[in-house]
Amino acid sequence: MNKMLRTYFALSCLLICTVSSAQEPDAVATNWGHWRGPEANGVSQTASPPLEWSEKKNVRWKVPIEGQGNATPIIWNNRVFLLTAINTERVDPSRPKPEDQPKRVFEIKHPNTYYQFVVLCLDRATGKELWRDIASEHVPHEGTHRDADFASASPTTDGKRLVCWFGSAGLFCYNLEGTKLWERDLGKVHVGASLGEGCSPVLHDDRIVIVRDHEGQSKIFVLDAKSGETIWEKNRDEGNAWATPQVLERNGTTQVITCGSNRIRSYDLESGEIIWQCDGLTTNCIPCPLVEDDLVYCMTGYQGYSLMAITLDARGDVSNSDAIRWRAEDGTPYVPSPVLYGGRIYCAKSSQAIVSSFDAADGTMLFGPKRLPRLGDIYASFVAADDKVYVCGRYGEMLVLKHSDELEILASNKLDDHFHASPAMAGEELFLRGRKSLYCIAE
């Protein structure tokens, strides 16, 4: 009997651990549930992906992905989730043909065909499709930049639910088995020059945070993750921006830190009140803020360069105050987010293959700006693990740098695709979403 009871107890504990594993810190640390990883800074402390790969080496699987999407794949246990937008080519005759539309910057055209906004779930071991759902199907009201698409915001999960944000095409919440739990239409936005949307959602303690900065009335939303209902929303005095917010707990208060051209703002997650704000960034904010210890690092690299390290204990308007511990005015990124790893910030200059590294404590430039060979431009954000920093160029080349005070290239790897989406890593695997295929890189 005692043996039977012990067996029953062991099985019960296993069942409880399996059900509750989504809540355990280890599950968060060993997966990649947010587009900037488990710590929202581009780092995995547990991953050890390969140093070298090619089309013929260390590719565990490669699967074609229909449609387009710059959204980063996210990883949870044995599953990979990603978003894509598929042009059905089915014409809406009420919309003007592309050739009949006025000339716009970057030759951007508004679609006149229906798109399917699709959520995909793949088996992590094989790349086999486990499920898919067409979240929505309609004709987008605006176009995008030629390097962007209609699935640029990355999904996110806490192990209980999967949150998928297609911007003006809607917000959708699923369980991990593919059942749609709820959906919300937060309305259309009007991005200046019709460049496209791209800010990713953040999921924190059953709250979803979404920032929509555009040429209309910009807003920040906090929604109940269980129902999709609005908890609070605030207007924002901002124009075009694509920076995903950073959410963190500090001294009993959860701060939502957003970057904008007019202001960096920290909101109280519970009330929506502004805790502190600061000016000093350039326009078209894209990089995600980084946090380490008592500082948040905010930066931009369009029409100028700006990086500010601001204390999380700030209150009120701290522009030009000693709450700004240090600042830099060169070598900061436009499109790709930086990575903060072991007290060092690694980032691109603008969107060029020029890299710099800063000491996070005092802003000392450890190296750079230095040009990297063969990469071309960089859109994908930097990631780091196992004392290495991974830098992915747009045209298939990816460099692996040594985590060091000096620039040292450990490996150069090439794949036959173009890469705008940021890498993800978990366990011994690196996931790279190209314009044509999704790769799982592993020895």
Side-chain angles (χ1 to χ4, degrees):
M1 177 64 72
N2 289 339
K3 183 177 180 181
M4 290 177 65
L5 287 173
R6 286 196 299 270
T7 302
Y8 176 79
F9 179 76
L11 290 172
S12 299
C13 288
L14 177 60
L15 177 61
I16 291 170
C17 289
T18 301
V19 171
S20 63
S21 64
Q23 305 302 316
E24 295 177 1
D26 286 351
V28 175
T30 56
N31 286 295
W32 193 275
H34 177 278
W35 83 281
R36 296 306 291 138
E39 300 176 8
N41 59 5
V43 173
S44 173
Q45 301 292 351
T46 62
S48 55
L51 175 65
E52 297 179 329
W53 63 87
S54 69
E55 289 286 343
K56 298 181 179 180
K57 179 181 180 181
N58 288 340
V59 176
R60 176 171 293 171
W61 50 259
K62 171 186 177 181
V63 296
I65 302 298
E66 187 181 5
Q68 290 294 321
N70 287 340
T72 293
I74 61 169
I75 319 302
W76 197 268
N77 294 337
N78 62 346
R79 300 187 176 195
V80 180
F81 301 95
L82 71 161
L83 308 183
T84 188
I86 301 171
N87 187 351
T88 69
E89 305 292 345
R90 182 163 60 92
V91 173
D92 179 351
S94 70
R95 302 291 185 97
K97 299 177 181 178
E99 60 268 25
D100 295 336
Q101 295 178 27
K103 185 176 181 180
R104 301 183 182 95
V105 65
F106 302 120
E107 299 182 352
I108 293 173
K109 302 294 184 180
H110 292 181
N112 69 334
T113 55
Y114 286 84
Y115 279 72
Q116 292 179 343
F117 298 87
V118 179
V119 182
L120 295 172
C121 174
L122 308 181
D123 182 272
R124 176 172 167 179
T126 64
K128 178 183 177 181
E129 184 177 306
L130 299 178
W131 60 261
R132 70 163 55 201
D133 187 66
I134 301 173
S136 175
E137 182 172 343
H138 64 267
V139 181
H141 71 292
E142 290 186 341
T144 71
H145 188 279
R146 58 178 172 266
D147 296 330
D149 50 62
F150 296 109
S152 288
S154 302
T156 187
T157 185
D158 56 3
K160 298 181 293 184
R161 53 182 71 88
L162 175 71
V163 176
C164 305
W165 172 232
F166 289 101
S168 295
L171 176 68
F172 305 89
C173 183
Y174 297 82
N175 66 21
L176 301 196
E177 303 302 318
T179 299
K180 188 184 291 182
L181 304 177
W182 54 261
E183 61 184 86
R184 277 288 306 270
D185 180 358
L186 296 179
K188 295 180 174 62
V189 302
H190 298 282
V191 180
S194 192
L195 295 173
E197 302 176 63
C199 181
S200 296
V202 177
L203 183 54
H204 183 91
D205 284 348
D206 291 333
R207 299 287 188 267
I208 300 170
V209 182
I210 293 177
V211 175
R212 308 187 80 187
D213 288 346
H214 60 110
E215 291 302 303
Q217 178 56 68
S218 297
K219 288 180 178 288
I220 178 173
F221 296 85
V222 171
L223 310 178
D224 186 330
K226 298 176 183 178
S227 64
E229 295 179 358
T230 300
I231 296 173
W232 58 262
E233 64 180 86
K234 300 284 185 180
N235 290 341
R236 289 168 54 81
D237 178 23
E238 295 292 345
N240 283 358
W242 298 266
T244 297
Q246 177 71 256
V247 182
L248 64 117
E249 296 182 8
R250 175 74 174 172
N251 296 331
T253 300
T254 302
Q255 298 187 35
V256 179
I257 299 175
T258 66
C259 289
S261 301
N262 293 331
R263 290 280 191 277
I264 303 165
R265 298 174 181 84
S266 171
Y267 297 87
D268 186 313
L269 178 65
E270 292 301 316
S271 67
E273 298 302 314
I274 293 178
I275 300 171
W276 58 265
Q277 58 186 348
C278 181
D279 60 27
L281 296 180
T282 65
T283 59
N284 283 14
C285 301
I286 298 178
C288 183
L290 301 171
V291 170
E292 186 172 78
D293 298 329
D294 65 336
L295 295 178
V296 58
Y297 306 87
C298 301
M299 63 196 77
T300 49
Y302 177 72
Q303 294 185 345
Y305 304 99
S306 178
L307 191 168
M308 292 185 288
I310 305 169
T311 176
L312 293 169
D313 296 323
R315 292 296 182 271
D317 191 335
V318 298
S319 306
N320 301 312
S321 75
D322 58 8
I324 305 172
R325 296 283 182 81
W326 59 265
R327 61 172 78 217
E329 296 180 344
D330 191 21
T332 54
Y334 175 30
V335 173
S337 284
V339 65
L340 174 54
Y341 188 34
R344 302 182 184 97
I345 298 171
Y346 298 89
C347 59
K349 180 174 183 177
S350 186
S351 299
Q352 304 173 70
I354 298 174
V355 67
S356 298
S357 177
F358 298 89
D359 186 307
D362 59 16
T364 301
M365 186 175 280
L366 302 174
F367 66 76
K370 289 190 175 181
R371 181 169 293 278
L372 299 174
R374 297 180 295 280
L375 280 193
D377 291 341
I378 300 172
Y379 281 178
S381 298
F382 289 25
V383 294
D386 195 28
D387 286 328
K388 304 175 186 68
V389 178
Y390 293 75
V391 184
C392 185
R394 288 180 59 195
Y395 306 113
E397 197 86 26
M398 191 168 186
L399 299 183
V400 184
L401 312 181
K402 184 178 181 180
H403 174 44
S404 170
D405 287 348
E406 299 180 355
L407 177 60
E408 180 180 345
I409 298 173
L410 299 177
S412 178
N413 306 295
K414 183 75 166 62
L415 296 173
D416 298 334
D417 208 337
H418 288 187
F419 295 88
H420 295 174
S422 300
M425 53 180 68
E428 297 179 350
E429 300 147 347
L430 176 69
F431 297 86
L432 299 173
R433 198 259 181 84
R435 301 294 278 177
K436 297 180 293 185
S437 303
L438 176 65
Y439 293 79
C440 175
I441 306 297
E443 293 182 352

Short mmCIF file of all heavy atoms in Angstrom, two decimals, residues 17-28 76 158-161 205-206:
data_model
loop_
_atom_site.label_atom_id
_atom_site.label_comp_id
_atom_site.label_asym_id
_atom_site.label_seq_id
_atom_site.Cartn_x
_atom_site.Cartn_y
_atom_site.Cartn_z
N CYS A 17 3.07 19.55 -11.63
CA CYS A 17 4.20 20.29 -12.20
C CYS A 17 3.98 20.56 -13.67
O CYS A 17 4.32 21.65 -14.17
CB CYS A 17 5.50 19.49 -12.01
SG CYS A 17 6.06 19.42 -10.30
N THR A 18 3.39 19.59 -14.41
CA THR A 18 3.16 19.78 -15.83
C THR A 18 2.16 20.89 -16.07
O THR A 18 2.34 21.75 -16.93
CB THR A 18 2.65 18.47 -16.46
OG1 THR A 18 3.63 17.46 -16.25
CG2 THR A 18 2.41 18.64 -17.95
N VAL A 19 1.07 20.91 -15.29
CA VAL A 19 0.04 21.91 -15.47
C VAL A 19 0.53 23.30 -15.10
O VAL A 19 0.22 24.29 -15.74
CB VAL A 19 -1.21 21.53 -14.64
CG1 VAL A 19 -2.21 22.66 -14.63
CG2 VAL A 19 -1.85 20.27 -15.18
N SER A 20 1.34 23.35 -14.04
CA SER A 20 1.74 24.66 -13.52
C SER A 20 3.07 25.14 -14.06
O SER A 20 3.54 26.21 -13.69
CB SER A 20 1.81 24.61 -11.98
OG SER A 20 2.81 23.69 -11.57
N SER A 21 3.70 24.34 -14.94
CA SER A 21 5.05 24.70 -15.39
C SER A 21 5.10 26.05 -16.08
O SER A 21 6.12 26.73 -16.09
CB SER A 21 5.59 23.62 -16.34
OG SER A 21 4.80 23.56 -17.52
N ALA A 22 3.96 26.48 -16.67
CA ALA A 22 3.93 27.77 -17.34
C ALA A 22 4.20 28.91 -16.39
O ALA A 22 4.64 29.98 -16.78
CB ALA A 22 2.57 27.97 -18.01
N GLN A 23 3.93 28.67 -15.08
CA GLN A 23 4.09 29.73 -14.11
C GLN A 23 5.48 29.74 -13.49
O GLN A 23 5.83 30.68 -12.78
CB GLN A 23 3.04 29.57 -12.99
CG GLN A 23 1.61 29.50 -13.50
CD GLN A 23 1.23 30.71 -14.31
OE1 GLN A 23 1.53 31.83 -13.92
NE2 GLN A 23 0.57 30.50 -15.45
N GLU A 24 6.25 28.65 -13.69
CA GLU A 24 7.53 28.53 -13.00
C GLU A 24 8.59 29.39 -13.68
O GLU A 24 8.66 29.46 -14.90
CB GLU A 24 7.96 27.06 -13.00
CG GLU A 24 7.02 26.17 -12.19
CD GLU A 24 7.43 24.72 -12.26
OE1 GLU A 24 8.45 24.43 -12.91
OE2 GLU A 24 6.74 23.89 -11.65
N PRO A 25 9.45 30.01 -12.86
CA PRO A 25 10.52 30.82 -13.43
C PRO A 25 11.40 30.06 -14.40
O PRO A 25 11.86 30.60 -15.40
CB PRO A 25 11.31 31.28 -12.19
CG PRO A 25 10.31 31.23 -11.07
CD PRO A 25 9.41 30.07 -11.39
N ASP A 26 11.66 28.76 -14.13
CA ASP A 26 12.52 27.98 -15.01
C ASP A 26 11.92 27.88 -16.41
O ASP A 26 12.64 27.87 -17.40
CB ASP A 26 12.73 26.58 -14.44
CG ASP A 26 13.68 26.59 -13.25
OD1 ASP A 26 14.30 27.64 -13.01
OD2 ASP A 26 13.80 25.55 -12.57
N ALA A 27 10.59 27.78 -16.50
CA ALA A 27 9.94 27.69 -17.81
C ALA A 27 10.15 28.97 -18.60
O ALA A 27 10.39 28.94 -19.81
CB ALA A 27 8.45 27.40 -17.64
N VAL A 28 10.06 30.10 -17.94
CA VAL A 28 10.29 31.38 -18.61
C VAL A 28 11.74 31.47 -19.08
O VAL A 28 12.03 31.86 -20.21
CB VAL A 28 9.95 32.56 -17.68
CG1 VAL A 28 10.32 33.88 -18.34
CG2 VAL A 28 8.47 32.54 -17.32
N TRP A 76 7.95 27.97 -26.91
CA TRP A 76 7.49 27.55 -25.58
C TRP A 76 7.45 26.02 -25.55
O TRP A 76 6.69 25.39 -26.26
CB TRP A 76 6.12 28.13 -25.25
CG TRP A 76 5.87 28.04 -23.77
CD1 TRP A 76 5.25 27.01 -23.10
CD2 TRP A 76 6.30 28.96 -22.78
NE1 TRP A 76 5.26 27.26 -21.76
CE2 TRP A 76 5.89 28.44 -21.52
CE3 TRP A 76 6.98 30.18 -22.81
CZ2 TRP A 76 6.14 29.10 -20.32
CZ3 TRP A 76 7.24 30.84 -21.62
CH2 TRP A 76 6.82 30.31 -20.40
N ASP A 158 2.78 33.50 -22.12
CA ASP A 158 3.18 33.26 -20.74
C ASP A 158 3.06 31.79 -20.39
O ASP A 158 3.14 31.40 -19.23
CB ASP A 158 2.34 34.10 -19.77
CG ASP A 158 0.85 33.85 -19.93
OD1 ASP A 158 0.45 32.99 -20.74
OD2 ASP A 158 0.06 34.54 -19.25
N GLY A 159 2.86 30.94 -21.41
CA GLY A 159 2.67 29.53 -21.19
C GLY A 159 1.23 29.13 -20.98
O GLY A 159 0.89 27.94 -21.05
N LYS A 160 0.37 30.11 -20.75
CA LYS A 160 -1.06 29.85 -20.60
C LYS A 160 -1.83 30.26 -21.84
O LYS A 160 -2.76 29.59 -22.26
CB LYS A 160 -1.63 30.63 -19.39
CG LYS A 160 -1.03 30.24 -18.06
CD LYS A 160 -1.67 31.03 -16.93
CE LYS A 160 -1.33 32.51 -16.99
NZ LYS A 160 -1.87 33.26 -15.84
N ARG A 161 -1.44 31.39 -22.40
CA ARG A 161 -2.15 31.94 -23.56
C ARG A 161 -1.16 32.54 -24.54
O ARG A 161 -0.04 32.92 -24.17
CB ARG A 161 -3.17 32.99 -23.10
CG ARG A 161 -2.59 34.07 -22.25
CD ARG A 161 -3.64 35.07 -21.77
NE ARG A 161 -4.54 34.49 -20.78
CZ ARG A 161 -4.31 34.50 -19.47
NH1 ARG A 161 -3.20 35.04 -19.00
NH2 ARG A 161 -5.18 33.98 -18.63
N ASP A 205 1.70 39.55 -15.96
CA ASP A 205 0.75 39.34 -14.86
C ASP A 205 -0.70 39.51 -15.31
O ASP A 205 -1.47 40.30 -14.73
CB ASP A 205 1.05 40.29 -13.70
CG ASP A 205 2.26 39.84 -12.90
OD1 ASP A 205 2.72 38.70 -13.10
OD2 ASP A 205 2.75 40.63 -12.08
N ASP A 206 -1.08 38.78 -16.35
CA ASP A 206 -2.45 38.80 -16.87
C ASP A 206 -2.86 40.17 -17.39
O ASP A 206 -4.05 40.51 -17.42
CB ASP A 206 -3.45 38.33 -15.81
CG ASP A 206 -3.31 36.84 -15.52
OD1 ASP A 206 -2.85 36.10 -16.43
OD2 ASP A 206 -3.65 36.40 -14.41
#
